[in-house]
Amino acid sequence: MQANVGDKLLVHGRTVGHHDRTAQVLQVLGENGTPPYRVRFDDDGHEALMSPGPDTVVRHRPEAGAS
Protein backbone atom coordinates (compact mmCIF):
# COMPACT_ATOMS: atom_id res chain seq x y z
CA MET A 1 0.00 0.00 0.00
CA GLN A 2 1.23 3.46 -0.90
CA ALA A 3 -0.38 6.78 -0.06
CA ASN A 4 0.53 10.45 -0.05
CA VAL A 5 -0.47 13.34 2.18
CA GLY A 6 -4.00 14.38 1.20
CA ASP A 7 -5.09 10.94 0.00
CA LYS A 8 -8.09 9.27 1.60
CA LEU A 9 -8.15 5.83 3.15
CA LEU A 10 -11.44 3.94 2.91
CA VAL A 11 -11.70 1.44 5.74
CA HIS A 12 -14.44 -1.11 5.09
CA GLY A 13 -16.59 -2.18 8.03
CA ARG A 14 -15.59 -5.72 8.96
CA THR A 15 -18.71 -6.85 10.78
CA VAL A 16 -22.45 -6.31 10.49
CA GLY A 17 -23.37 -2.94 11.94
CA HIS A 18 -19.96 -1.36 11.38
CA HIS A 19 -20.03 1.19 8.59
CA ASP A 20 -17.22 2.12 6.22
CA ARG A 21 -15.04 5.00 7.41
CA THR A 22 -12.82 7.42 5.54
CA ALA A 23 -9.71 9.12 6.83
CA GLN A 24 -7.44 11.75 5.31
CA VAL A 25 -3.70 11.06 5.34
CA LEU A 26 -2.00 13.85 7.27
CA GLN A 27 1.52 12.41 7.42
CA VAL A 28 3.32 9.47 5.84
CA LEU A 29 5.77 7.92 8.29
CA GLY A 30 7.00 5.00 6.19
CA GLU A 31 9.42 5.09 3.28
CA ASN A 32 8.16 5.75 -0.26
CA GLY A 33 4.54 6.23 0.80
CA THR A 34 4.24 3.08 2.90
CA PRO A 35 2.55 2.84 6.32
CA PRO A 36 2.28 3.85 9.05
CA TYR A 37 0.19 6.96 8.40
CA ARG A 38 -1.07 9.70 10.68
CA VAL A 39 -4.72 10.16 9.68
CA ARG A 40 -7.83 12.17 10.61
CA PHE A 41 -11.16 10.35 10.37
CA ASP A 42 -13.80 12.29 8.46
CA ASP A 43 -16.78 11.26 10.60
CA ASP A 44 -15.53 12.42 14.01
CA GLY A 45 -12.21 14.25 13.48
CA HIS A 46 -10.29 11.69 15.55
CA GLU A 47 -6.59 11.52 14.68
CA ALA A 48 -4.71 8.23 14.85
CA LEU A 49 -1.56 6.45 13.78
CA MET A 50 -2.60 3.73 11.37
CA SER A 51 -1.04 0.75 9.61
CA PRO A 52 -3.93 -0.26 7.34
CA GLY A 53 -4.86 -3.88 6.78
CA PRO A 54 -6.45 -5.68 3.83
CA ASP A 55 -9.84 -4.07 4.57
CA THR A 56 -8.50 -0.64 3.56
CA VAL A 57 -8.08 0.95 0.12
CA VAL A 58 -6.36 4.18 -0.90
CA ARG A 59 -8.32 6.83 -2.75
CA HIS A 60 -5.65 9.04 -4.28
CA ARG A 61 -6.43 12.73 -4.44
CA PRO A 62 -6.82 14.16 -7.94
CA GLU A 63 -3.70 15.68 -9.45
CA ALA A 64 -3.64 19.48 -9.61
CA GLY A 65 -5.02 20.62 -12.96
CA ALA A 66 -6.64 17.26 -13.75
CA SER A 67 -10.20 17.43 -15.02
Side-chain angles (χ1 to χ4, degrees), residues 9-14 19-23 41 50 52 55-57:
L9 299 181
L10 172 61
V11 183
H12 295 288
R14 292 184 281 175
H19 63 283
D20 292 351
R21 296 181 77 190
T22 56
F41 286 94
M50 186 175 176
D55 57 341
T56 303
V57 294

Side-chain angles (χ1 to χ4, degrees), residues 5-7 16 19 32 34 37 39-42 48 51 55 61:
V5 172
D7 288 346
V16 173
H19 63 283
N32 301 317
T34 60
Y37 307 117
V39 301
R40 179 180 303 122
F41 286 94
D42 294 337
S51 290
D55 57 341
R61 67 180 171 167

